[in-house]
mmCIF file of all heavy atoms in Angstrom:
data_model
loop_
_atom_site.group_PDB
_atom_site.id
_atom_site.type_symbol
_atom_site.label_atom_id
_atom_site.label_comp_id
_atom_site.label_asym_id
_atom_site.label_seq_id
_atom_site.Cartn_x
_atom_site.Cartn_y
_atom_site.Cartn_z
ATOM 1 N N LEU A 109 75.719 -1.376 28.802
ATOM 2 C CA LEU A 109 74.250 -1.305 28.742
ATOM 3 C C LEU A 109 73.671 -0.920 30.099
ATOM 4 O O LEU A 109 72.559 -0.386 30.177
ATOM 5 C CB LEU A 109 73.666 -2.652 28.298
ATOM 6 C CG LEU A 109 73.771 -3.010 26.818
ATOM 7 C CD1 LEU A 109 73.253 -4.426 26.574
ATOM 8 C CD2 LEU A 109 73.009 -2.014 25.940
ATOM 9 N N GLY A 112 70.099 -1.787 30.760
ATOM 10 C CA GLY A 112 69.068 -1.288 29.865
ATOM 11 C C GLY A 112 69.204 -1.835 28.464
ATOM 12 O O GLY A 112 70.031 -2.705 28.180
ATOM 13 N N ALA A 113 68.382 -1.312 27.570
ATOM 14 C CA ALA A 113 68.408 -1.752 26.173
ATOM 15 C C ALA A 113 69.341 -0.909 25.320
ATOM 16 O O ALA A 113 69.700 -1.302 24.209
ATOM 17 C CB ALA A 113 66.996 -1.712 25.595
ATOM 18 N N THR A 114 69.731 0.273 25.832
ATOM 19 C CA THR A 114 70.609 1.179 25.088
ATOM 20 C C THR A 114 71.895 1.414 25.867
ATOM 21 O O THR A 114 71.932 1.285 27.095
ATOM 22 C CB THR A 114 69.918 2.526 24.824
ATOM 23 O OG1 THR A 114 69.471 3.075 26.072
ATOM 24 C CG2 THR A 114 68.731 2.359 23.888
ATOM 25 N N LEU A 115 72.935 1.781 25.151
ATOM 26 C CA LEU A 115 74.234 2.014 25.778
ATOM 27 C C LEU A 115 74.248 3.308 26.592
ATOM 28 O O LEU A 115 73.633 4.298 26.210
ATOM 29 C CB LEU A 115 75.322 2.066 24.710
ATOM 30 C CG LEU A 115 75.588 0.742 23.980
ATOM 31 C CD1 LEU A 115 76.365 0.986 22.691
ATOM 32 C CD2 LEU A 115 76.345 -0.226 24.885
ATOM 33 N N TRP A 130 72.490 6.593 25.111
ATOM 34 C CA TRP A 130 72.452 6.751 23.665
ATOM 35 C C TRP A 130 71.151 6.124 23.173
ATOM 36 O O TRP A 130 71.126 4.995 22.692
ATOM 37 C CB TRP A 130 73.675 6.098 23.027
ATOM 38 C CG TRP A 130 74.952 6.783 23.408
ATOM 39 C CD1 TRP A 130 75.885 6.352 24.302
ATOM 40 C CD2 TRP A 130 75.416 8.043 22.913
ATOM 41 N NE1 TRP A 130 76.902 7.267 24.402
ATOM 42 C CE2 TRP A 130 76.647 8.315 23.557
ATOM 43 C CE3 TRP A 130 74.919 8.970 21.989
ATOM 44 C CZ2 TRP A 130 77.384 9.470 23.302
ATOM 45 C CZ3 TRP A 130 75.659 10.117 21.745
ATOM 46 C CH2 TRP A 130 76.868 10.363 22.391
ATOM 47 N N ASP A 131 70.066 6.897 23.323
ATOM 48 C CA ASP A 131 68.741 6.347 23.068
ATOM 49 C C ASP A 131 67.980 7.083 21.961
ATOM 50 O O ASP A 131 66.783 6.858 21.778
ATOM 51 C CB ASP A 131 67.902 6.339 24.350
ATOM 52 C CG ASP A 131 67.794 7.717 24.998
ATOM 53 O OD1 ASP A 131 68.247 8.713 24.384
ATOM 54 O OD2 ASP A 131 67.266 7.792 26.119
ATOM 55 N N SER A 132 68.683 7.988 21.237
ATOM 56 C CA SER A 132 68.048 8.694 20.130
ATOM 57 C C SER A 132 69.095 8.999 19.074
ATOM 58 O O SER A 132 70.295 9.100 19.380
ATOM 59 C CB SER A 132 67.403 9.991 20.626
ATOM 60 O OG SER A 132 66.625 10.598 19.602
ATOM 61 N N TYR A 133 68.657 9.163 17.838
ATOM 62 C CA TYR A 133 69.560 9.360 16.700
ATOM 63 C C TYR A 133 70.622 10.409 16.999
ATOM 64 O O TYR A 133 70.336 11.501 17.483
ATOM 65 C CB TYR A 133 68.763 9.778 15.465
ATOM 66 C CG TYR A 133 69.644 10.041 14.255
ATOM 67 C CD1 TYR A 133 70.000 9.015 13.404
ATOM 68 C CD2 TYR A 133 70.139 11.324 13.995
ATOM 69 C CE1 TYR A 133 70.821 9.241 12.302
ATOM 70 C CE2 TYR A 133 70.967 11.571 12.912
ATOM 71 C CZ TYR A 133 71.302 10.522 12.065
ATOM 72 O OH TYR A 133 72.124 10.751 10.998
ATOM 73 N N LEU A 136 75.739 7.856 17.000
ATOM 74 C CA LEU A 136 75.836 6.556 17.667
ATOM 75 C C LEU A 136 75.946 5.335 16.758
ATOM 76 O O LEU A 136 76.232 4.232 17.229
ATOM 77 C CB LEU A 136 74.620 6.374 18.587
ATOM 78 C CG LEU A 136 73.199 6.602 18.010
ATOM 79 C CD1 LEU A 136 72.777 5.620 16.973
ATOM 80 C CD2 LEU A 136 72.182 6.642 19.139
ATOM 81 N N LYS A 137 75.724 5.469 15.459
ATOM 82 C CA LYS A 137 75.588 4.278 14.610
ATOM 83 C C LYS A 137 76.828 3.391 14.608
ATOM 84 O O LYS A 137 76.732 2.175 14.705
ATOM 85 C CB LYS A 137 75.240 4.701 13.176
ATOM 86 C CG LYS A 137 73.916 5.430 13.038
ATOM 87 C CD LYS A 137 73.534 5.647 11.592
ATOM 88 C CE LYS A 137 74.471 6.557 10.835
ATOM 89 N NZ LYS A 137 74.518 7.940 11.381
ATOM 90 N N TYR A 140 77.092 1.393 17.959
ATOM 91 C CA TYR A 140 76.182 0.251 18.077
ATOM 92 C C TYR A 140 76.609 -0.914 17.189
ATOM 93 O O TYR A 140 76.496 -2.083 17.581
ATOM 94 C CB TYR A 140 74.744 0.681 17.774
ATOM 95 C CG TYR A 140 74.035 1.186 19.012
ATOM 96 C CD1 TYR A 140 74.047 2.534 19.335
ATOM 97 C CD2 TYR A 140 73.383 0.315 19.876
ATOM 98 C CE1 TYR A 140 73.427 3.011 20.485
ATOM 99 C CE2 TYR A 140 72.758 0.774 21.030
ATOM 100 C CZ TYR A 140 72.782 2.118 21.325
ATOM 101 O OH TYR A 140 72.180 2.568 22.476
ATOM 102 N N LEU A 141 77.124 -0.627 16.007
ATOM 103 C CA LEU A 141 77.579 -1.719 15.138
ATOM 104 C C LEU A 141 78.817 -2.390 15.717
ATOM 105 O O LEU A 141 78.958 -3.620 15.641
ATOM 106 C CB LEU A 141 77.845 -1.184 13.732
ATOM 107 C CG LEU A 141 76.598 -0.744 12.974
ATOM 108 C CD1 LEU A 141 76.969 -0.106 11.636
ATOM 109 C CD2 LEU A 141 75.629 -1.911 12.747
ATOM 110 N N ILE A 144 77.350 -4.590 18.609
ATOM 111 C CA ILE A 144 76.582 -5.745 18.142
ATOM 112 C C ILE A 144 77.488 -6.756 17.448
ATOM 113 O O ILE A 144 77.283 -7.975 17.553
ATOM 114 C CB ILE A 144 75.444 -5.266 17.220
ATOM 115 C CG1 ILE A 144 74.404 -4.492 18.039
ATOM 116 C CG2 ILE A 144 74.781 -6.434 16.490
ATOM 117 C CD1 ILE A 144 73.437 -3.663 17.217
ATOM 118 N N ILE A 151 76.274 -6.978 22.358
ATOM 119 C CA ILE A 151 74.938 -6.668 22.838
ATOM 120 C C ILE A 151 73.953 -7.187 21.784
ATOM 121 O O ILE A 151 74.322 -7.425 20.636
ATOM 122 C CB ILE A 151 74.750 -5.158 23.083
ATOM 123 C CG1 ILE A 151 74.874 -4.356 21.783
ATOM 124 C CG2 ILE A 151 75.748 -4.664 24.115
ATOM 125 C CD1 ILE A 151 74.534 -2.870 21.928
ATOM 126 N N PRO A 152 72.687 -7.406 22.149
ATOM 127 C CA PRO A 152 71.739 -7.969 21.183
ATOM 128 C C PRO A 152 71.463 -7.026 20.026
ATOM 129 O O PRO A 152 71.497 -5.797 20.179
ATOM 130 C CB PRO A 152 70.476 -8.205 22.022
ATOM 131 C CG PRO A 152 70.619 -7.328 23.211
ATOM 132 C CD PRO A 152 72.089 -7.213 23.488
ATOM 133 N N ALA A 153 71.182 -7.600 18.870
ATOM 134 C CA ALA A 153 70.858 -6.790 17.693
ATOM 135 C C ALA A 153 69.626 -5.938 17.935
ATOM 136 O O ALA A 153 69.452 -4.883 17.304
ATOM 137 C CB ALA A 153 70.654 -7.700 16.488
ATOM 138 N N SER A 154 68.787 -6.354 18.873
ATOM 139 C CA SER A 154 67.576 -5.582 19.183
ATOM 140 C C SER A 154 67.909 -4.194 19.733
ATOM 141 O O SER A 154 67.071 -3.286 19.695
ATOM 142 C CB SER A 154 66.714 -6.337 20.197
ATOM 143 O OG SER A 154 67.449 -6.610 21.379
ATOM 144 N N SER A 155 69.127 -4.004 20.233
ATOM 145 C CA SER A 155 69.512 -2.671 20.722
ATOM 146 C C SER A 155 69.517 -1.640 19.604
ATOM 147 O O SER A 155 69.364 -0.442 19.849
ATOM 148 C CB SER A 155 70.894 -2.730 21.385
ATOM 149 O OG SER A 155 70.840 -3.426 22.612
ATOM 150 N N TRP A 156 69.712 -2.097 18.364
ATOM 151 C CA TRP A 156 69.661 -1.185 17.216
ATOM 152 C C TRP A 156 68.277 -0.567 17.078
ATOM 153 O O TRP A 156 68.131 0.577 16.616
ATOM 154 C CB TRP A 156 70.038 -1.942 15.946
ATOM 155 C CG TRP A 156 70.127 -1.115 14.703
ATOM 156 C CD1 TRP A 156 69.181 -0.988 13.724
ATOM 157 C CD2 TRP A 156 71.230 -0.290 14.284
ATOM 158 N NE1 TRP A 156 69.623 -0.144 12.730
ATOM 159 C CE2 TRP A 156 70.880 0.289 13.045
ATOM 160 C CE3 TRP A 156 72.478 0.005 14.831
ATOM 161 C CZ2 TRP A 156 71.731 1.156 12.352
ATOM 162 C CZ3 TRP A 156 73.327 0.856 14.143
ATOM 163 C CH2 TRP A 156 72.944 1.428 12.912
ATOM 164 N N GLU A 157 67.269 -1.324 17.468
ATOM 165 C CA GLU A 157 65.892 -0.831 17.390
ATOM 166 C C GLU A 157 65.484 -0.030 18.616
ATOM 167 O O GLU A 157 64.410 0.571 18.636
ATOM 168 C CB GLU A 157 64.930 -2.009 17.212
ATOM 169 C CG GLU A 157 65.164 -2.823 15.947
ATOM 170 C CD GLU A 157 64.920 -2.003 14.689
ATOM 171 O OE1 GLU A 157 63.995 -1.177 14.694
ATOM 172 O OE2 GLU A 157 65.667 -2.188 13.714
ATOM 173 N N ALA A 158 66.339 -0.016 19.644
ATOM 174 C CA ALA A 158 65.952 0.601 20.917
ATOM 175 C C ALA A 158 66.138 2.108 20.932
ATOM 176 O O ALA A 158 65.611 2.782 21.821
ATOM 177 C CB ALA A 158 66.747 -0.033 22.060
ATOM 178 N N TRP A 159 66.905 2.651 19.978
ATOM 179 C CA TRP A 159 67.061 4.113 19.938
ATOM 180 C C TRP A 159 66.094 4.721 18.930
ATOM 181 O O TRP A 159 65.795 4.129 17.900
ATOM 182 C CB TRP A 159 68.507 4.538 19.669
ATOM 183 C CG TRP A 159 69.244 3.855 18.564
ATOM 184 C CD1 TRP A 159 69.950 2.696 18.632
ATOM 185 C CD2 TRP A 159 69.376 4.308 17.199
ATOM 186 N NE1 TRP A 159 70.517 2.391 17.407
ATOM 187 C CE2 TRP A 159 70.183 3.372 16.508
ATOM 188 C CE3 TRP A 159 68.905 5.431 16.504
ATOM 189 C CZ2 TRP A 159 70.512 3.498 15.166
ATOM 190 C CZ3 TRP A 159 69.232 5.560 15.152
ATOM 191 C CH2 TRP A 159 70.026 4.599 14.508
ATOM 192 N N THR A 160 65.588 5.902 19.277
ATOM 193 C CA THR A 160 64.547 6.532 18.472
ATOM 194 C C THR A 160 65.149 7.282 17.292
ATOM 195 O O THR A 160 66.334 7.633 17.283
ATOM 196 C CB THR A 160 63.713 7.511 19.310
ATOM 197 O OG1 THR A 160 64.559 8.558 19.785
ATOM 198 C CG2 THR A 160 63.078 6.787 20.493
ATOM 199 N N ARG A 161 64.319 7.518 16.306
ATOM 200 C CA ARG A 161 64.726 8.199 15.076
ATOM 201 C C ARG A 161 63.727 9.318 14.764
ATOM 202 O O ARG A 161 62.859 9.177 13.895
ATOM 203 C CB ARG A 161 64.800 7.183 13.930
ATOM 204 C CG ARG A 161 65.885 6.110 14.145
ATOM 205 C CD ARG A 161 65.598 4.860 13.324
ATOM 206 N NE ARG A 161 66.696 3.894 13.376
ATOM 207 C CZ ARG A 161 66.876 3.002 14.347
ATOM 208 N NH1 ARG A 161 66.041 2.972 15.387
ATOM 209 N NH2 ARG A 161 67.882 2.139 14.296
ATOM 210 N N PRO A 162 63.854 10.443 15.464
ATOM 211 C CA PRO A 162 62.889 11.541 15.277
ATOM 212 C C PRO A 162 62.929 12.096 13.849
ATOM 213 O O PRO A 162 63.996 12.280 13.267
ATOM 214 C CB PRO A 162 63.346 12.600 16.281
ATOM 215 C CG PRO A 162 64.188 11.856 17.273
ATOM 216 C CD PRO A 162 64.847 10.767 16.499
ATOM 217 N N ILE A 172 65.739 12.176 9.346
ATOM 218 C CA ILE A 172 65.941 11.825 10.751
ATOM 219 C C ILE A 172 67.036 12.718 11.308
ATOM 220 O O ILE A 172 68.090 12.874 10.696
ATOM 221 C CB ILE A 172 66.347 10.346 10.891
ATOM 222 C CG1 ILE A 172 65.243 9.424 10.356
ATOM 223 C CG2 ILE A 172 66.658 10.004 12.351
ATOM 224 C CD1 ILE A 172 65.675 7.978 10.229
ATOM 225 N N ARG A 194 70.212 0.231 3.415
ATOM 226 C CA ARG A 194 69.215 0.763 4.331
ATOM 227 C C ARG A 194 68.759 -0.334 5.277
ATOM 228 O O ARG A 194 68.789 -1.523 4.938
ATOM 229 C CB ARG A 194 68.029 1.373 3.591
ATOM 230 C CG ARG A 194 67.200 0.437 2.746
ATOM 231 C CD ARG A 194 65.923 1.131 2.238
ATOM 232 N NE ARG A 194 65.060 1.512 3.337
ATOM 233 C CZ ARG A 194 64.605 2.760 3.534
ATOM 234 N NH1 ARG A 194 64.920 3.730 2.706
ATOM 235 N NH2 ARG A 194 63.822 3.025 4.558
ATOM 236 N N ASP A 195 68.366 0.073 6.486
ATOM 237 C CA ASP A 195 67.710 -0.856 7.388
ATOM 238 C C ASP A 195 66.205 -0.634 7.248
ATOM 239 O O ASP A 195 65.751 -0.048 6.251
ATOM 240 C CB ASP A 195 68.215 -0.678 8.821
ATOM 241 C CG ASP A 195 67.855 0.680 9.417
ATOM 242 O OD1 ASP A 195 67.195 1.497 8.741
ATOM 243 O OD2 ASP A 195 68.243 0.935 10.581
ATOM 244 N N SER A 196 65.422 -1.056 8.214
ATOM 245 C CA SER A 196 63.968 -0.914 8.095
ATOM 246 C C SER A 196 63.517 0.536 8.271
ATOM 247 O O SER A 196 62.348 0.855 8.069
ATOM 248 C CB SER A 196 63.262 -1.801 9.127
ATOM 249 O OG SER A 196 63.641 -1.428 10.445
ATOM 250 N N HIS A 197 64.439 1.424 8.634
ATOM 251 C CA HIS A 197 64.080 2.808 8.902
ATOM 252 C C HIS A 197 64.552 3.791 7.840
ATOM 253 O O HIS A 197 63.825 4.722 7.501
ATOM 254 C CB HIS A 197 64.658 3.244 10.258
ATOM 255 C CG HIS A 197 64.255 2.385 11.399
ATOM 256 N ND1 HIS A 197 63.031 2.480 12.021
ATOM 257 C CD2 HIS A 197 64.924 1.377 12.029
ATOM 258 C CE1 HIS A 197 62.950 1.586 12.984
ATOM 259 N NE2 HIS A 197 64.085 0.912 13.019
ATOM 260 N N ALA A 198 65.776 3.622 7.349
ATOM 261 C CA ALA A 198 66.337 4.686 6.512
ATOM 262 C C ALA A 198 67.554 4.225 5.727
ATOM 263 O O ALA A 198 68.194 3.218 6.055
ATOM 264 C CB ALA A 198 66.743 5.877 7.388
ATOM 265 N N TYR A 200 70.833 5.756 5.614
ATOM 266 C CA TYR A 200 71.460 6.759 6.471
ATOM 267 C C TYR A 200 72.427 7.665 5.713
ATOM 268 O O TYR A 200 72.646 8.813 6.113
ATOM 269 C CB TYR A 200 72.151 6.091 7.665
ATOM 270 C CG TYR A 200 71.161 5.432 8.598
ATOM 271 C CD1 TYR A 200 70.954 4.051 8.549
ATOM 272 C CD2 TYR A 200 70.404 6.190 9.480
ATOM 273 C CE1 TYR A 200 70.023 3.439 9.383
ATOM 274 C CE2 TYR A 200 69.470 5.593 10.314
ATOM 275 C CZ TYR A 200 69.280 4.213 10.261
ATOM 276 O OH TYR A 200 68.349 3.627 11.072
ATOM 277 N N ALA A 341 77.528 -7.281 11.821
ATOM 278 C CA ALA A 341 76.575 -6.495 12.604
ATOM 279 C C ALA A 341 75.540 -5.825 11.706
ATOM 280 O O ALA A 341 74.348 -5.774 12.044
ATOM 281 C CB ALA A 341 77.324 -5.442 13.419
ATOM 282 N N MET A 342 75.970 -5.325 10.554
ATOM 283 C CA MET A 342 75.024 -4.676 9.644
ATOM 284 C C MET A 342 73.984 -5.666 9.140
ATOM 285 O O MET A 342 72.798 -5.337 9.020
ATOM 286 C CB MET A 342 75.776 -4.011 8.484
ATOM 287 C CG MET A 342 76.641 -2.840 8.920
ATOM 288 S SD MET A 342 77.462 -1.962 7.568
ATOM 289 C CE MET A 342 76.116 -0.908 6.972
ATOM 290 N N LYS A 343 74.408 -6.874 8.879
ATOM 291 C CA LYS A 343 73.448 -7.913 8.466
ATOM 292 C C LYS A 343 72.500 -8.244 9.609
ATOM 293 O O LYS A 343 71.290 -8.419 9.405
ATOM 294 C CB LYS A 343 74.201 -9.159 8.004
ATOM 295 C CG LYS A 343 74.933 -8.995 6.684
ATOM 296 C CD LYS A 343 75.637 -10.286 6.289
ATOM 297 C CE LYS A 343 76.366 -10.124 4.945
ATOM 298 N NZ LYS A 343 77.117 -11.361 4.576
ATOM 299 N N ALA A 344 73.042 -8.310 10.825
ATOM 300 C CA ALA A 344 72.229 -8.688 11.983
ATOM 301 C C ALA A 344 71.121 -7.687 12.268
ATOM 302 O O ALA A 344 70.046 -8.062 12.737
ATOM 303 C CB ALA A 344 73.122 -8.843 13.215
ATOM 304 N N VAL A 345 71.381 -6.405 11.991
ATOM 305 C CA VAL A 345 70.359 -5.388 12.284
ATOM 306 C C VAL A 345 69.469 -5.107 11.077
ATOM 307 O O VAL A 345 68.604 -4.235 11.139
ATOM 308 C CB VAL A 345 70.991 -4.082 12.801
ATOM 309 C CG1 VAL A 345 71.791 -4.360 14.061
ATOM 310 C CG2 VAL A 345 71.853 -3.403 11.748
ATOM 311 N N GLY A 346 69.682 -5.836 9.982
ATOM 312 C CA GLY A 346 68.737 -5.777 8.874
ATOM 313 C C GLY A 346 69.101 -4.892 7.704
ATOM 314 O O GLY A 346 68.231 -4.545 6.896
ATOM 315 N N PHE A 347 70.378 -4.504 7.576
ATOM 316 C CA PHE A 347 70.752 -3.709 6.413
ATOM 317 C C PHE A 347 70.662 -4.536 5.141
ATOM 318 O O PHE A 347 71.091 -5.688 5.096
ATOM 319 C CB PHE A 347 72.179 -3.156 6.557
ATOM 320 C CG PHE A 347 72.240 -1.866 7.306
ATOM 321 C CD1 PHE A 347 72.511 -1.860 8.670
ATOM 322 C CD2 PHE A 347 72.008 -0.661 6.662
ATOM 323 C CE1 PHE A 347 72.564 -0.666 9.377
ATOM 324 C CE2 PHE A 347 72.061 0.542 7.359
ATOM 325 C CZ PHE A 347 72.342 0.535 8.717
ATOM 326 N N LYS A 348 70.078 -3.924 4.115
ATOM 327 C CA LYS A 348 69.969 -4.541 2.800
ATOM 328 C C LYS A 348 70.340 -3.500 1.749
ATOM 329 O O LYS A 348 70.375 -2.304 2.033
ATOM 330 C CB LYS A 348 68.548 -5.055 2.558
ATOM 331 C CG LYS A 348 68.150 -6.221 3.468
ATOM 332 C CD LYS A 348 66.729 -6.681 3.167
ATOM 333 C CE LYS A 348 66.391 -7.985 3.890
ATOM 334 N NZ LYS A 348 66.592 -7.924 5.340
#
Side-chain angles (χ1 to χ4, degrees):
L109 284 175
T114 55
L115 293 163
W130 294 104
D131 55 8
S132 188
Y133 178 87
L136 51 66
K137 298 188 295 297
Y140 272 92
L141 292 175
I144 292 165
I151 64 173
S154 57
S155 289
W156 184 261
E157 299 296 323
W159 47 273
T160 62
R161 296 158 173 83
I172 298 169
R194 63 171 297 126
D195 65 1
S196 60
H197 304 281
Y200 294 101
M342 293 184 80
K343 289 181 179 177
V345 301
F347 274 95
K348 293 180 170 55

